[in-house]
């Protein structure tokens, strides 16, 4: 395959860069991906081996069923993706770097001609990611390194199942496969929010149908109930992050001095940590998101979450508009993808459900004020770019937010 085609296939692992960086970044992207592919083995061949670990056998059998469901019931591509397994002997396949200015929630972008621009940059070696993050910090940015369990090559390669996610909860495993296959259905150059929101909407709809089918076949609601508990915790955690993202946006948009904004920022992050502790108590001590707080909190932590969730409600509304018919939904989304970006965003904004400016749960803190523990500053009240709709919290893509991603 030509180098340009290979580069195009790697865009959603978080890898794009200015050409001024030289060939090193592109080489690590190509070599890293090819190394992953070399480890891939057909799942059915592995299952035929008598010595395979029983727990891995169970998960690979689940993958076969999930993969069949994806194509037969969700109209997702019927190809070789997720029919092979690779053990990379590391916790993540790539590490993404996100960065913002000190007093802004705007993520940096990196671009190249084939793939367009994305708001993160991926490395197959964690130390390479950490070195790049350190370079950004030296330039005055805030940087955040996040491990990623999976990425899509948009159909250029048959993406394998990886050890980095194969042992997830069955519902989480299904959700990830549906999400990554959705990238093969539709990808719009240079629009990460559109691409990830579309894939997240597909994964949500797919998971709802998959859980219903599993429950109907087994007559056992346990899987759905377990998944709902897991998803509710994640929804609450994501809502917490989005509320505090709104508080930071309000502080940075205020006429206060930079020193006053820095003081507000410190108070906001301290309050976020307190509210997370309170949320854990509500969960009975569940600590699945503790590692997200392992690094010092930065703007980039919170800004990166929004990329995958902003337009999900609009896509869910579009699916309902198409009578919950997935092929019709895919066609409608493709038509949106063909529009100029400004027109595409206006169309999605018109589809998005409206949310109230004030919630009974609390009020948006004024710029320079910190939400008290237990309050819920509403991101819907915070000034947003005119092209983006205010939206209620939605389930994020697994590649950005999961209790198992080791933040």
């Amino acid at each position: 395959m030509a180098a340009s085609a290979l580069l195009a296939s790697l865009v959603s692992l978080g890898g794009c860069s200015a050409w001024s960086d030289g060939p090193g970044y592109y080489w690590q992207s190509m070599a890293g991906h090819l190394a992953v592919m070399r480890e891939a083995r057909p799942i059915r061949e592995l299952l035929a081996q008598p010595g395979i670990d029983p727990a891995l056998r169970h998960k690979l059998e689940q993958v076969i069923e999930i993969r069949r469901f994806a194509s037969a019931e969700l109209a997702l591509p019927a190809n070789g993706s997720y029919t092979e397994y690779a053990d990379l002997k590391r916790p993540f396949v790539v590490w993404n770097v996100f960065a913002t200015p000190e007093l802004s929630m705007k993520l940096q972008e990196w671009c190249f001609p084939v793939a367009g621009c994305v708001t993160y940059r991926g490395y197959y070696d964690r130390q390479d990611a950490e070195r790049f993050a350190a370079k950004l910090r030296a330039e005055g940015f805030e940087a955040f390194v996040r491990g990623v369990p999976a990425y899509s090559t948009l159909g250029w390669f048959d993406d394998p199942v990886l050890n980095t996610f194969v042992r997830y909860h069955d519902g989480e495993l299904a959700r990830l496969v549906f999400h990554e296959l959705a990238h093969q259905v539709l990808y719009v150059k240079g629009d990460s929010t559109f691409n990830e929101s579309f894939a997240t909407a597909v994964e949500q709809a797919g998971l709802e149908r998959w859980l219903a089918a599993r429950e109907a076949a087994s007559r056992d609601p346990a899987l759905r109930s377990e998944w709902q508990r897991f998803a509710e915790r994640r929804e609450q955690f994501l809502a917490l992050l989005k509320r505090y993202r709104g508080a930071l946006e309000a502080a940075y948009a205020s006429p206060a001095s930079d020193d006053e904004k820095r003081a507000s920022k410190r108070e906001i992050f301290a309050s976020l940590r307190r509210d997370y502790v309170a949320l854990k108590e509500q969960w009975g001590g569940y600590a699945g998101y503790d590692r997200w707080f392992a690094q010092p909190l930065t703007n980039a932590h919170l800004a990166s979450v929004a990329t995958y969730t902003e337009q999900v409600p609009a896509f869910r509304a579009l699916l309902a508009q198409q009578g919950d018919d997935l092929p019709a939904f895919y066609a409608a989304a493709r038509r949106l993808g063909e529009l100029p970006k400004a027109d595409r965003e206006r169309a999605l904004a018109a589809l998005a459900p409206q949310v109230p400016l004030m919630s009974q749960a609390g009020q948006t803190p004024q710029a320079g004020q910190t939400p008290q523990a237990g309050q819920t500053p509403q991101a819907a009240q915070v000034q947003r770019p005119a092209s983006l709709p205010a939206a209620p919290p939605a389930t994020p893509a697994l590649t950005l937010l999961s209790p198992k991603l080791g933040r």
Side-chain angles (χ1 to χ4, degrees), residues 208-328:
E208 290 161 6
R209 299 177 190 204
W210 180 78
L211 287 170
R214 286 283 297 265
E215 186 173 343
S218 67
R219 300 185 182 278
D220 183 358
L223 178 63
R224 178 185 291 275
S225 297
E226 182 182 355
W227 169 256
Q228 286 174 342
R229 287 192 297 273
F230 179 89
E232 285 169 4
R233 287 193 293 259
R234 184 177 50 212
E235 286 285 348
Q236 290 170 339
F237 182 67
L238 179 63
L240 180 73
L241 300 187
K242 292 193 73 174
R243 291 195 297 271
Y244 278 90
R245 178 180 183 268
L248 286 168
E249 287 178 326
Y252 298 152
S254 78
S257 70
D258 285 355
D259 283 344
E260 289 171 329
K261 290 178 181 179
R262 291 186 183 101
S264 294
K265 177 181 178 179
R266 288 191 294 271
E267 293 168 1
I268 288 168
F269 278 129
S271 184
L272 169 58
R273 288 185 180 277
R274 289 194 298 269
D275 274 1
Y276 174 61
V277 171
L279 191 58
K280 282 178 58 178
E281 291 177 358
Q282 294 178 26
W283 294 340
Y286 175 77
Y289 292 101
D290 278 7
R291 293 169 72 180
W292 194 87
F293 287 92
Q295 301 181 58
L297 293 180
T298 68
N299 297 333
H301 278 72
L302 299 182
S304 63
V305 172
T307 299
Y308 278 20
T309 63
E310 199 72 55
Q311 295 169 346
V312 172
F315 278 110
R316 293 305 302 259
L318 182 62
L319 176 58
Q321 195 178 81
Q322 302 302 314
D324 289 328
D325 181 280
L326 283 169

Side-chain angles (χ1 to χ4, degrees), residues 9-296:
S9 75
L10 300 180
V11 295
S12 66
L13 66 82
C16 77
S17 168
W19 285 112
S20 60
D21 286 351
Y25 180 78
Y26 302 104
W27 173 250
Q28 72 89 28
S29 293
M30 290 186 287
H33 177 72
L34 293 175
V36 170
M37 299 304 295
R38 283 196 298 271
E39 296 299 322
R41 301 290 183 272
I43 289 176
R44 293 193 182 277
E45 288 185 12
L46 291 173
L47 291 175
Q49 297 177 6
I52 187 173
D53 173 61
L56 178 60
R57 174 185 293 278
H58 169 75
K59 286 298 183 180
L60 293 178
E61 289 171 346
Q62 294 303 305
V63 168
I64 289 176
E65 191 276 329
I66 290 166
R67 189 64 188 82
R68 181 207 61 79
F69 187 91
S71 296
E73 304 298 334
L74 306 180
L76 290 170
N79 55 29
S81 292
Y82 307 110
T83 63
E84 296 184 315
Y85 172 72
D87 184 354
L88 307 181
K89 297 178 174 58
R90 60 180 189 258
F92 301 107
V93 60
V94 293
W95 284 264
N96 280 356
V97 181
F98 301 87
T100 68
E102 179 193 6
L103 298 175
S104 171
M105 299 302 288
K106 181 175 174 56
L107 287 165
Q108 291 297 108
E109 288 189 340
W110 291 276
C111 307
F112 63 5
V114 176
C117 300
V118 293
T119 55
Y120 43 87
R121 178 161 153 164
Y123 292 87
Y124 284 88
D125 185 284
R126 179 170 186 170
Q127 294 308 310
D128 288 343
E130 295 288 357
R131 279 191 288 270
F132 183 66
K135 176 177 178 290
L136 291 170
R137 294 182 190 115
E139 295 172 358
F141 293 98
E142 294 190 347
F144 169 43
V145 177
R146 168 178 286 154
V148 177
Y151 61 84
S152 172
T153 59
L154 311 182
W156 285 97
F157 294 88
D158 289 336
D159 301 319
V161 177
L162 303 175
N163 68 293
T164 55
F165 63 85
V166 72
R167 296 182 188 271
Y168 283 0
H169 179 282
D170 286 355
E172 194 78 340
L173 184 57
R175 191 169 74 95
L176 186 148
V177 170
F178 300 156
H179 180 98
E180 300 302 345
L181 286 173
H183 282 308
Q184 297 185 20
V185 172
L186 177 60
Y187 180 85
V188 175
K189 179 180 176 179
D191 196 338
S192 296
T193 300
F194 180 92
N195 295 326
E196 297 301 339
S197 295
F198 167 77
T200 299
V202 172
E203 86 178 33
Q204 289 178 356
L207 188 63
E208 290 161 6
R209 299 177 190 204
W210 180 78
L211 287 170
R214 286 283 297 265
E215 186 173 343
S218 67
R219 300 185 182 278
D220 183 358
L223 178 63
R224 178 185 291 275
S225 297
E226 182 182 355
W227 169 256
Q228 286 174 342
R229 287 192 297 273
F230 179 89
E232 285 169 4
R233 287 193 293 259
R234 184 177 50 212
E235 286 285 348
Q236 290 170 339
F237 182 67
L238 179 63
L240 180 73
L241 300 187
K242 292 193 73 174
R243 291 195 297 271
Y244 278 90
R245 178 180 183 268
L248 286 168
E249 287 178 326
Y252 298 152
S254 78
S257 70
D258 285 355
D259 283 344
E260 289 171 329
K261 290 178 181 179
R262 291 186 183 101
S264 294
K265 177 181 178 179
R266 288 191 294 271
E267 293 168 1
I268 288 168
F269 278 129
S271 184
L272 169 58
R273 288 185 180 277
R274 289 194 298 269
D275 274 1
Y276 174 61
V277 171
L279 191 58
K280 282 178 58 178
E281 291 177 358
Q282 294 178 26
W283 294 340
Y286 175 77
Y289 292 101
D290 278 7
R291 293 169 72 180
W292 194 87
F293 287 92
Q295 301 181 58

